[in-house]
Every structure is written in structure tokens, then in C-alpha cells.
């Protein structure tokens, strides 16, 4: 029979103590040692593995839902890009005036300048509730996008001073 490695051999004091015990007592001690070993393995290896597996499942579900939402957003963006009408560059002024009139914001414009095909529009005071639909309509209907925007808070709640540079 081959000799056991030093790490698996019973230490001398334990061997002497077991030598003085009956066969039933040695079996009981061995059973207790095996039970302790199984408990250590269960607590030290199995429980952390099970917790990590559950955390990975949860993370995978969250990632899958985020991926689905991102895919839906990219499909919507692609649909908007296809649906956005392209209009001639010459009618950008007319389009801007038309959309400002539709949104009832023509009177709120304090400055409107055109340079190099871009409109510089200043609103001294405009509410967020009016600005967001305006920008959406400009992009959707007129193919005009905010190239540059400076929003400055005003004293009145929900209003800003808006300086917009619009281009195609």
C-alpha cells in the first residue's frame, strides 16, 4: 500500500488519542469529521456559487431588458430618420416661420438672424412646455435641428432664456 501524502496523514497526537479509543468511537469521530468537512465545503463553496449564479441570472435578465429597450430605441430612431422629410435648403426660412406660427411662438421671438444657412433664434422667455414641442416640430416637419443651444434659467419657474442655432 502506498504511503499517504504528509497533508493527509493523521497528526501524531491525534493518532495516539484515537489508538486508545474503541472501534465505535473511532467511527463516530470519523463520521463527525466527514460531517464537518461537508459543512465546510457547503458553506465555503456551494453557498457562494449558488449566490453568484442567482446574481448572474438577475443581471442577465436586467441586461436583456436593457438590450431590448435599446434595440427598440434604435428602431424608432431609424424610423424617424426615414420619416423625416428632406426639404430644399431655400425654404428653411419659410419653414421656420410656419412652425413658429403653428406653435404660437412667433411673437415670443426676440431676435432672428440668418447666417450661412443657419438661423439664430433668441427667446427672451419661453417655457419648457413650449420649447420641447417646438424643437420636435422643427426637426420632424422642417428638418431643422438645434446645432447649438444656450438655455439660461429665469426667475419665473419653468421658463428659460433660449438662444438656439438651427441648421440642417
Amino acid at each position: 500500500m502506498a504511503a499517504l501524502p504528509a497533508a493527509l496523514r493523521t497528526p501524531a497526537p491525534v493518532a495516539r488519542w484515537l489508538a486508545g479509543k474503541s472501534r465505535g468511537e473511532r467511527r463516530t469521530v470519523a463520521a463527525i469529521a466527514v460531517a464537518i468537512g461537508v459543512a465546510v465545503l457547503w458553506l465555503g463553496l456551494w453557498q457562494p456559487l449558488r449566490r453568484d449564479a442567482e446574481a448572474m441570472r438577475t443581471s442577465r435578465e436586467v441586461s436583456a431588458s436593457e438590450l431590448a429597450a435599446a434595440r427598440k430605441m434604435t428602431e424608432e430612431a431609424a424610423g424617424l430618420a426615414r420619416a423625416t422629410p428632406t426639404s430644399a435648403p431655400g425654404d428653411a426660412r419659410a419653414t421656420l416661420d410656419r412652425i413658429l406660427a403653428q406653435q404660437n411662438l412667433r411673437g415670443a421671438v426676440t431676435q432672428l438672424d440668418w447666417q450661412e444657412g443657419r438661423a439664430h433664434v433668441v427667446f427672451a422667455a419661453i417655457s419648457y412646455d413650449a420649447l420641447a414641442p417646438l424643437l420636435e416640430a422643427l426637426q420632424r416637419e422642417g428638418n431643422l435641428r438645434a446645432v447649438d443651444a444656450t438655455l439660461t434659467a429665469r426667475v419665473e419657474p419653468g421658463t428659460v432664456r433660449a438662444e438656439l442655432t438651427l441648421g440642417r
Side-chain angles (χ1 to χ4, degrees):
M1 189 168 186
L4 289 173
L8 295 178
R9 288 189 205 133
T10 307
V14 174
R16 281 193 303 271
W17 179 77
L18 282 174
K21 302 297 176 192
S22 70
R23 185 176 178 154
E25 290 173 329
R26 285 193 298 263
R27 284 185 181 167
T28 302
V29 168
I32 291 172
V34 167
I36 290 173
V38 167
V40 166
L41 286 175
W42 186 72
L43 290 173
L45 292 174
W46 182 252
Q47 286 296 322
L49 285 174
R50 194 174 58 82
R51 276 193 308 268
D52 290 347
E54 184 61 33
M56 287 178 68
R57 265 188 231 101
T58 303
S59 174
R60 183 183 56 81
E61 291 169 2
V62 168
S63 296
S65 66
E66 289 173 350
L67 179 62
R71 284 183 177 156
K72 182 179 178 186
M73 287 172 45
T74 56
E75 289 171 4
E76 288 175 0
L80 284 175
R82 286 188 298 272
T84 302
T86 56
S87 54
D91 66 350
R93 292 175 192 235
T95 302
L96 177 60
D97 286 336
R98 180 179 53 80
I99 293 172
L100 285 171
Q102 284 176 350
Q103 301 284 324
N104 294 325
L105 294 173
R106 185 68 181 117
V109 174
T110 56
Q111 182 182 352
L112 176 60
D113 298 322
W114 285 90
Q115 283 184 332
E116 300 173 10
R118 291 187 174 183
H120 181 73
V121 183
V122 177
F123 295 95
I126 186 170
S127 71
Y128 289 120
D129 294 335
L131 183 60
L134 171 66
L135 292 173
E136 181 184 1
L138 286 170
Q139 182 170 345
R140 185 182 60 244
E141 297 172 23
N143 200 22
L144 290 169
R145 291 172 181 75
V147 177
D148 186 31
T150 303
L151 303 177
T152 307
R154 294 188 44 90
V155 175
E156 299 88 16
T159 62
V160 294
R161 171 181 165 79
E163 297 179 27
L164 307 172
T165 302
L166 304 170
R168 293 200 170 165

